[in-house]
Amino acid sequence: MIPEKPPQENVFHGSEELKEAHVPSFDKYRELYMKSVDNPDEFWGDVAKDFFWKTKHTGQFLDYNFDVTKGEIYIKCMEGASTNICYNLLDRNVHEKKLADKVAFFWEGNDPGDELTVTYRELLQRVCQFANVLKAQGVKKGDRVSIYMPMVVELVVAMLACVRIGAVHSIVFAGFSAESLCERIVDSQCCLLITADGFYRGDKLINLKLLADEALQKCRDKGFPVGRCIMLKHLSKEPEGILGSQSPPAKRPCPDLQQEKQAGRVKKTRPVPKVPWNPEVDLCWHALLRGVSDECEPEWCDSEDPLFILYTSGSTGKPKGVLHTVSGYMLYTATTFKVVFDHQPDDVYWCTADIGWITGHSYITYGPLANGATSVLFEGLPTYPDVSRMWEIVDKYNVTKFYTAPTAIRLLMKFGNEPVQRYKRSSLKVLGTVGEPINPEAWQWYYNVVGEKRCPIVDTFWQTETGGHVLTPLPAATPMKPGSATLPFFGVVPAILNESGEELEGPSEGYLVFKQPWPGVMRTVYGSHERFESTYFKKFPGYYVTGDGCRRDKDGYFWVTGRIDDMLNVSGHLLSTAEVESSLVEHEAVAEAAVVGRPHPVKGESLYCFVTLNDGVMYNSELEAELKKQVREKIGAIATPDYIQNAPGLPKTRSGKIMRRLLRKIACDERELGDVSTLADSTVVEQLFQNRCCTAV
Ligand code: PRX
């Protein structure tokens, strides 16, 4: 299924500079790929040799059932072996690989000039200290801990401290609302919340602690009181913070923050948030650390013990807690990082994602640290203080490997080449993209202007559920085609199915599925194995169904065309239409709502919402603003509607099902409607066309 020879026509080739790459040629890729699928146990067994195992695995290396008709779905990798990821990411690098003084992270704050450097040794010490804090708080192996933090080093510290003691982290992106945070805390029954006072996104202050408090109040209202909330002071200043009795005494600022102030971390000119403090629940991060040992014996975990839960949108509207386990995820993120970015010891790698999403989990924390890499951890925005910020950072740290999303590329492309060319970017070697299909125009600009035709682009297709890259070029081995994620990574066996579940051969288009597991694939939906099976395995028994459509060309290259379920991809983030709809109908004025995607030049898709109001309610701009606010508050800023249309009626079939296909046509003003024979009342459609929204709200 991997073509014998690489395609020759209409392709771009990797750079000459990558001759010493881990996978230097197409033939080598093919050879390793064949080994990975013919003999996965040996292939991944070799990878595992580089990691530390307290005890060896028993039984098969990769054991699974992918077919619902044959019983419960399960995937097990190295069951019986015990290890600790934190130990492999930090202790192994510090002690065995002699990387103690190597920089793990260059932290670059929202404001230029706010910066910190953290070595592997320092990171290990901080993680151990915080792990001891968690232990002192009674957190034990298997407990769930919710983390709601900005992009600061302490976010990595908090996640790895959980991992060190075998606790399961559940990170909630700091752009999500209090309601979303509460929903996730309750679903995974977290015993503790870790947050920060606040942060700046550009000039905008986000008072995170207020949102965290609101979420905890909602948890209490739902009968799930969370006993403790640890707050990092990221903005508020020691020692004159307004915290309660657990705050350090005025004359003794905690050492942690004092040191950071010298490094210029806290901009003194910024107003700091007023932090509400509830002594019953709240604990100060810095006060808790005082006097705590920086040594902590790792908790040895079984390979299949839970590692973390990360929520992703579900088509029913309720987010799914995707569960990843220890060893398979470690091996897979480490290998994909090493091979796809062709990691070399002197690289400076930068992934612009937020750790609150899977890209940040796998390719800011786990994959890079497993390889002893030096990364940039960026708190800010690509357009703040100006649209050159990304390239300024590339030059400042001599970034060699750069990973971002098509939406960021399209955003920056709008400002032309000058802001890019103001900086040299001569250190760059490999560019990557993730999150949504990249349109060829954006690909070309990224390749020609940002990478000056020197840098291969790895267009990595994957999902929260897959743990790591599953379709991707390898920079020195795979000829690239703009817009194609090309070919499968090691161990991954893709197929394209038609509506009846038949595998299509050769050039074809249909459902993208995978035929067998790879070590990093999710194990279950937290709390509902039934939902895991029905979402991913029931539609086509024997296959993992991605939910994406895909085309395969004559060279065997895969072109992911986007979601084919009720999911939207806004700026590389999946949103469930059902979730947005239910937050709209929670407004007292709304009787019914239907949400569809409308193409957007930067965000990929925008949210076009149709609302039917209750009898007697007038539609006006105030109501529109309220609805917008309502969705923001329920879900978060990423779900803010772009268009809201008053829809006195919605197109429905005779059996009452909303015909979303027609709503998509209306949103895009496409009059070719196709088959409308099942439509109950055709006048509704014409009415909606006449009143469609042309400008975003
Ligand atoms: O539709 C695909 C799209 O993003 C979805 C996964 O979203 P999420 O779980 O939030 O993870 C995003 C980061 C890995 C996929 O089902 N997607 C992701 N990467 C690509 C992509 N679509 C096309 N090309 C990609 N490179």
Side-chain angles (χ1 to χ4, degrees):
M1 63 134 82
I2 302 295
E4 293 218 352
K5 288 282 164 234
Q8 300 297 333
E9 285 165 30
N10 302 325
V11 293
F12 292 78
H13 291 281
S15 99
E16 287 291 299
E17 280 180 57
L18 299 174
K19 280 227 175 86
E20 306 291 309
H22 296 295
V23 182
S25 67
F26 191 82
D27 287 346
K28 188 72 190 166
Y29 158 65
R30 198 169 186 280
E31 178 195 320
L32 288 169
Y33 178 81
M34 297 316 278
K35 179 173 173 187
S36 74
V37 293
D38 291 343
N39 194 346
D41 289 11
E42 192 184 317
F43 182 89
W44 294 109
D46 285 346
V47 171
K49 285 181 191 147
D50 194 31
F51 293 85
F52 177 83
W53 307 98
K54 187 79 177 166
T55 59
K56 291 210 164 64
H57 73 279
T58 47
Q60 233 173 306
F61 195 90
L62 195 61
D63 183 18
Y64 67 94
N65 171 37
F66 243 34
D67 188 344
V68 266
T69 63
K70 295 191 178 139
E72 191 171 286
I73 300 291
Y74 68 88
I75 303 110
K76 292 174 182 169
C77 179
M78 298 186 77
E79 205 183 18
S82 56
T83 189
N84 181 288
I85 295 207
C86 178
Y87 185 89
N88 277 287
L89 266 45
L90 301 179
D91 307 56
R92 188 181 57 118
N93 282 325
V94 168
H95 302 303
E96 213 180 291
K97 308 235 162 183
K98 309 284 177 250
L99 299 178
D101 296 319
K102 187 171 179 186
V103 173
F105 289 109
F106 289 117
W107 179 79
E108 172 80 14
N110 175 65
D111 285 300
D114 281 355
E115 61 197 33
L116 259 184
T117 297
V118 182
T119 63
Y120 273 86
R121 179 191 288 110
E122 287 162 345
L123 190 57
L124 173 60
Q125 285 169 344
R126 283 179 178 221
V127 166
C128 286
Q129 254 196 330
F130 196 65
N132 285 327
V133 164
L134 291 178
K135 281 213 279 200
Q137 291 302 316
V139 181
K140 317 177 292 305
K141 183 175 179 184
D143 287 350
R144 275 84 52 218
V145 172
S146 181
I147 303 178
Y148 185 57
M149 289 177 93
M151 283 285 284
V152 291
V153 174
E154 287 84 351
L155 169 54
V156 180
V157 170
M159 69 199 289
L160 293 183
C162 289
V163 168
R164 192 158 190 97
I165 62 170
V168 180
H169 60 72
S170 168
I171 301 181
V172 179
F173 171 56
F176 273 124
S177 64
E179 174 114 7
S180 296
L181 174 61
C182 161
E183 190 177 12
R184 287 156 174 77
I185 291 175
V186 173
D187 187 75
S188 49
Q189 306 269 297
C190 291
C191 64
L192 184 137
L193 173 66
I194 306 171
T195 190
D197 48 0
F199 62 101
Y200 276 90
R201 269 179 74 73
D203 280 323
K204 192 170 171 217
L205 172 65
I206 313 289
N207 194 333
L208 203 62
K209 177 63 165 43
L210 267 187
L211 294 169
D213 282 358
E214 208 184 311
L216 292 183
Q217 183 55 48
K218 286 178 192 290
C219 291
R220 280 190 283 275
D221 295 345
K222 290 188 178 180
F224 186 77
V226 178
R228 280 141 310 155
C229 172
I230 299 179
M231 189 198 81
L232 171 85
K233 293 183 196 177
H234 175 46
L235 296 178
S236 51
K237 293 171 198 155
E238 293 276 354
E240 67 273 21
I242 50 160
L243 303 180
S245 57
Q246 289 154 27
S247 185
K251 289 195 189 90
R252 268 184 25 211
C254 66
D256 213 11
L257 220 88
Q258 218 177 24
Q259 186 197 331
E260 284 164 9
K261 262 188 175 175
Q262 282 162 10
R265 173 169 174 183
V266 181
K267 270 261 166 191
K268 289 155 198 83
T269 49
R270 290 284 198 189
V272 296
K274 283 256 176 286
V275 175
W277 194 252
N278 174 0
E280 305 271 297
V281 177
D282 293 339
L283 299 158
C284 168
W285 172 293
H286 314 273
L288 289 173
L289 280 177
R290 212 165 319 113
V292 172
S293 162
D294 59 11
E295 284 179 18
C296 173
E297 182 62 16
E299 180 79 39
W300 302 109
C301 300
D302 187 86
S303 287
E304 283 303 332
D305 279 346
L307 171 64
F308 66 81
I309 299 165
L310 181 58
Y311 285 84
T312 185
S313 301
S315 54
T316 57
K318 186 174 157 20
K320 302 179 290 250
V322 170
L323 184 104
H324 285 284
T325 55
V326 176
S327 300
Y329 179 82
M330 174 170 78
L331 298 182
Y332 200 70
T333 50
T335 311
T336 44
F337 176 77
K338 176 175 165 184
V339 175
V340 174
F341 296 109
D342 187 41
H343 177 66
Q344 302 294 339
D346 53 357
D347 271 339
V348 177
Y349 161 85
W350 180 21
C351 166
T352 68
D354 192 291
I355 291 179
W357 305 103
I358 191 68
T359 306
H361 278 59
S362 299
Y363 299 113
I364 295 180
T365 302
Y366 289 101
L369 293 177
N371 283 277
T374 296
S375 301
V376 174
L377 180 65
F378 179 45
E379 184 191 22
L381 295 173
T383 49
Y384 178 84
D386 62 47
V387 295
S388 278
R389 183 75 189 276
M390 303 276 239
W391 323 120
E392 182 190 337
I393 296 173
V394 165
D395 277 8
K396 176 173 175 183
Y397 297 105
N398 287 313
V399 171
T400 51
K401 314 282 163 76
F402 177 73
Y403 194 28
T404 195
T407 183
I409 300 166
R410 290 192 297 260
L411 174 70
L412 296 177
M413 203 169 111
K414 283 201 314 188
F415 299 97
N417 302 353
E418 192 277 329
V420 186
Q421 287 161 346
R422 218 179 290 163
Y423 293 90
K424 291 205 309 287
R425 292 156 290 110
S426 51
S427 52
L428 288 173
K429 291 187 177 152
V430 175
L431 304 174
T433 91
V434 57
E436 58 182 306
I438 180 165
N439 46 314
E441 195 194 355
W443 193 100
Q444 295 280 1
W445 186 78
Y446 199 27
Y447 184 75
N448 293 328
V449 180
V450 176
E452 293 177 324
K453 304 184 181 171
R454 277 182 296 112
C455 307
I457 295 180
V458 286
D459 175 356
T460 60
F461 166 83
W462 59 295
Q463 304 177 301
T464 306
E465 295 87 337
T466 68
H469 308 140
V470 282
L471 299 178
T472 177
L474 304 185
T478 322
M480 298 160 283
K481 299 190 190 189
S484 168
T486 72
L487 295 167
F489 190 74
F490 304 142
V492 175
V493 185
I496 295 185
L497 304 185
N498 65 14
E499 196 57 55
S500 341
E502 288 150 359
E503 273 189 43
L504 303 175
E505 301 297 331
S508 45
E509 185 158 356
Y511 292 88
L512 176 66
V513 299
F514 296 112
K515 293 168 75 161
Q516 63 188 52
W518 53 95
V521 68
M522 72 183 288
R523 302 301 197 254
T524 191
V525 168
Y526 186 80
S528 179
H529 198 66
E530 199 286 316
R531 191 169 178 204
F532 171 60
E533 294 185 337
S534 61
T535 309
Y536 304 101
F537 294 95
K538 286 233 166 101
K539 187 170 172 70
F540 299 121
Y543 302 93
Y544 165 90
V545 180
T546 60
D548 282 294
C550 188
R551 182 166 68 78
R552 184 171 44 212
D553 69 16
K554 65 176 177 27
D555 295 317
Y557 271 37
F558 291 88
W559 301 72
V560 178
T561 49
R563 302 294 307 183
I564 40 183
D565 50 13
D566 289 333
M567 222 77 94
L568 300 181
N569 193 326
V570 177
S571 301
H573 302 309
L574 283 192
L575 284 175
S576 128
T577 51
E579 198 178 1
V580 181
E581 285 159 9
S582 68
S583 47
L584 286 167
V585 293
E586 273 178 46
H587 192 285
E588 57 188 10
V590 179
E592 196 168 23
V595 176
V596 295
R598 174 184 154 135
H600 186 279
V602 172
K603 299 199 284 188
E605 278 189 293
S606 54
L607 289 167
Y608 195 112
C609 310
F610 294 87
V611 290
T612 305
L613 303 183
N614 284 316
D615 272 355
V617 181
M618 284 288 290
Y619 191 85
N620 56 30
S621 56
E622 272 148 52
L623 176 61
E624 194 167 87
E626 270 180 43
L627 293 176
K628 221 172 132 178
K629 186 163 162 261
Q630 164 113 353
V631 180
R632 277 177 83 97
E633 282 177 3
K634 293 270 167 206
I635 307 176
I638 48 161
T640 312
D642 297 274
Y643 302 88
I644 303 181
Q645 178 170 351
N646 178 19
L650 290 168
K652 291 187 181 165
T653 60
R654 279 181 200 110
S655 58
K657 207 168 167 326
I658 296 175
M659 295 178 75
R660 283 164 197 285
R661 186 177 63 75
L662 296 183
L663 291 177
R664 274 190 283 270
K665 297 268 184 192
I666 294 161
C668 302
D669 202 15
E670 284 173 16
R671 303 271 170 165
E672 285 296 317
L673 297 183
D675 180 10
V676 288
S677 56
T678 52
L679 191 58
D681 175 4
S682 57
T683 58
V684 168
V685 175
E686 193 40 45
Q687 218 175 29
L688 290 177
F689 265 118
Q690 273 167 23
N691 299 323
R692 52 182 294 284
C693 300
C694 299
T695 45
V697 290

